Amino acid sequence: MTDPLRLGIAGLGTVGTGVVKIVQQHGDLLATRAGRPITITAVSARSRTKNRDVDLSGYDWEDDPVALAKRADVDVFVELMGGESGPAKSATEAAIAAGKDVVSANKALLAIHGQSLAEAAEAKGCAIRFEAAVAGGIPVIKSLTEGLAGNEISRVIGVMNGSCNYILTRMEDAGLSYEEVFEEANQLGYLEADPELDVGGIDAGHKLALLSAIAFGTQVDFPNVELEGIGSVTIEDIKRAADMGFKIKLLGVAQMTGRGLEQRMSPCLVPDHSPLGQLEGGTNMVVLEGDAINQIVLRGPGAGEGPTASAVMGDVMDLARGTRGPVFGQPAVSLRKARAARAAVPAPYYLRMELLDKPGALAKVAAVLGDAGISIDRMRQYDHAETAAPVLIVTHKTTRAALDEAIAGFDDTRVVASAPVAIRIEAV
């Protein structure tokens, strides 16, 4: 029998214990499929005494994950601790320096330090695999690096944070405010310890930066991902968008344009009949577009013990079979530093505002839009209160810069009662 592939697992939270369970429950199946046994040598976590509902008695325990990463009887260091620095970074660097392969679910670490880690690993002949870091159980990284390797990718677009998708769909289904559903999601444990990582778009932005690097052959550039969370989305926006045939999603979009690489994570409107528009609850979806394949849609659970542990084990199995390759799909030294583009591609926009009940108010707003070179596709006015009326406008394609110019000009009309809300409409 071929020698076993020996794992050292750092981090025994939801995902780490899920990996242990898969190895324990499917040992024979894994060995048959990989052509060699998959075993666990040692583990590491912050607490030895915590009840994890899994038997760890057969494994050595290391209090220090760096010591675990350096062990001679560990072939693959499985980093499931999380965090962009600290023990996760130190232990990953130690594993690479010791010539070991790394499997990680740590999107923050790779989004911030991915280029330097990839260069170090490839210089040592090591692999870093991170399918579990993006979209949970969806094999999107394997799709880009393997299945679509013959394509020139034109766009990556998707819902990459299940917590935000849950909040937005729950608001619509129950007619609840953002604040009410946020608290509900927090009580259910759907949000990170720092909820801003979810609702602020940071978590999903990390994932988008990683996918961009693979899709476009560029260095990971998280600092230039435009981030806008869902905190400004109201139940009124959701209802009004639905009236006009749209759903609101926290959408990640990456595309290479003539001006450079556009990466943004922000609330967008999508047609309600589209795959993204029909996506409900905590599910993730990534749409990949390439010159040969045209478009493929990947849909599945984006988090949780089983899906994320499944992705970790998919990477482990590839290493056990000898399937390797560059970290980001091509040698790290060949990845170019992309010029960042800010919302360079024109699109229609949804505008919601309240207009004072004055003669000619709509005409004044339309004139400001026209002066900025923006034409109106459709407009709808709702029943108004005593002094102001809600108005929705859908524009034809325009740039965000032109729209910002128009919004700034609304102040001079003296008919706009509150700050306008502008949300991009994305073609999918």
Side-chain angles (χ1 to χ4, degrees):
M1 175 71 71
T2 306
D3 290 340
L5 185 74
R6 302 166 297 179
L7 310 181
I9 301 175
L12 292 171
T14 300
V15 179
T17 55
V19 171
V20 173
K21 289 175 184 177
I22 291 176
V23 173
Q24 291 180 348
Q25 294 170 6
H26 299 304
D28 291 342
L29 179 64
L30 296 174
T32 299
R33 290 178 173 174
R36 60 192 296 193
I38 309 294
T39 63
I40 298 171
T41 299
V43 296
S44 178
R46 281 180 289 190
S47 170
R48 292 195 187 206
T49 58
K50 180 180 177 180
N51 179 21
R52 298 180 171 88
D53 294 322
V54 66
D55 183 11
L56 303 173
S57 61
Y59 315 131
D60 288 349
W61 184 281
E62 293 283 358
D63 291 316
D64 182 2
V66 172
L68 175 65
K70 293 178 178 179
R71 286 180 64 122
D73 55 358
V74 166
D75 303 308
V76 178
F77 178 65
V78 183
E79 190 278 293
L80 305 175
M81 294 177 287
E84 67 180 65
S85 58
K89 182 172 183 285
S90 300
T92 298
E93 291 172 337
I96 293 168
K100 302 182 189 303
D101 295 328
V102 174
V103 172
S104 178
N106 192 338
K107 51 195 169 286
L109 174 68
L110 292 165
I112 303 300
H113 304 290
Q115 182 66 27
S116 60
L117 291 173
E119 290 183 11
E122 291 171 21
K124 292 284 289 186
C126 303
I128 301 176
R129 305 294 293 252
F130 56 98
E131 187 69 73
V134 180
I138 303 175
V140 60
I141 293 174
K142 185 179 284 286
S143 296
L144 281 170
T145 57
E146 298 179 25
L148 301 182
N151 284 254
E152 181 178 0
I153 301 299
S154 55
R155 186 170 67 154
V156 176
I157 179 170
V159 170
M160 302 175 195
N161 184 281
S163 299
C164 288
N165 202 53
Y166 168 83
I167 290 173
L168 293 171
T169 55
R170 174 72 173 150
M171 287 172 67
E172 180 175 17
D173 293 344
L176 298 173
S177 69
Y178 169 79
E179 290 77 15
E180 289 173 306
V181 179
F182 175 92
E183 184 58 32
E184 177 183 288
N186 207 23
Q187 292 297 322
L188 291 170
Y190 290 173
L191 299 176
E192 297 275 1
D194 177 3
E196 188 63 20
L197 292 173
D198 286 315
V199 300
I202 299 168
D203 167 88
H206 288 148
K207 300 170 186 176
L208 183 67
L210 295 174
L211 293 182
S212 294
I214 300 168
F216 303 110
T218 58
Q219 295 182 15
V220 183
D221 189 16
F222 172 69
N224 279 311
V225 178
E226 296 179 67
L227 295 177
E228 179 185 350
I230 63 171
S232 63
V233 177
T234 67
I235 186 61
E236 287 76 20
D237 289 320
I238 289 175
K239 289 178 178 178
R240 304 312 185 202
D243 286 347
M244 303 180 84
F246 296 105
K247 297 290 183 75
I248 299 180
K249 301 292 180 184
L250 180 66
L251 208 61
V253 180
Q255 52 196 343
M256 188 64 72
T257 73
R259 295 183 182 182
L261 179 61
E262 181 178 329
Q263 302 178 96
R264 49 189 164 79
M265 184 63 62
S266 62
C268 292
L269 271 67
V270 297
D272 58 11
H273 61 272
S274 67
L276 283 164
Q278 296 175 33
L279 190 68
E280 299 290 329
T283 308
N284 282 197
M285 179 177 288
V286 182
V287 179
L288 305 174
E289 297 175 351
D291 58 349
I293 197 66
N294 190 16
Q295 184 185 87
I296 66 168
V297 178
L298 303 171
R299 176 184 183 277
E305 176 183 305
T308 312
S310 170
V312 170
M313 287 308 301
D315 284 341
V316 168
M317 293 292 282
D318 275 348
L319 294 174
R321 294 168 177 147
T323 303
R324 306 176 67 79
V327 177
F328 292 105
Q330 67 184 64
V333 294
S334 73
L335 297 171
R336 67 189 189 281
K337 192 171 181 62
R339 184 170 67 253
R342 298 288 180 179
V345 177
Y349 279 83
Y350 158 101
L351 279 173
R352 175 176 60 82
M353 65 191 79
E354 288 192 348
L355 300 186
L356 297 176
D357 192 6
K358 292 183 177 181
L362 278 173
K364 290 181 179 180
V365 167
V368 171
L369 289 170
D371 290 344
I374 301 170
S375 60
I376 296 173
D377 178 33
R378 44 192 159 137
M379 181 163 40
R380 186 171 296 179
Q381 182 172 339
Y382 292 85
D383 293 338
H384 58 77
E386 188 172 331
T387 59
V391 173
L392 297 185
I393 294 173
V394 173
T395 74
H396 286 290
K397 285 186 177 180
T398 186
T399 64
R400 182 69 205 213
L403 189 66
D404 288 342
E405 176 189 333
I407 290 172
F410 289 158
D411 287 342
D412 295 333
T413 67
R414 301 187 183 279
V415 298
V416 179
S418 59
V421 172
I423 304 178
R424 184 183 176 99
I425 300 174
E426 196 68 45
V428 294

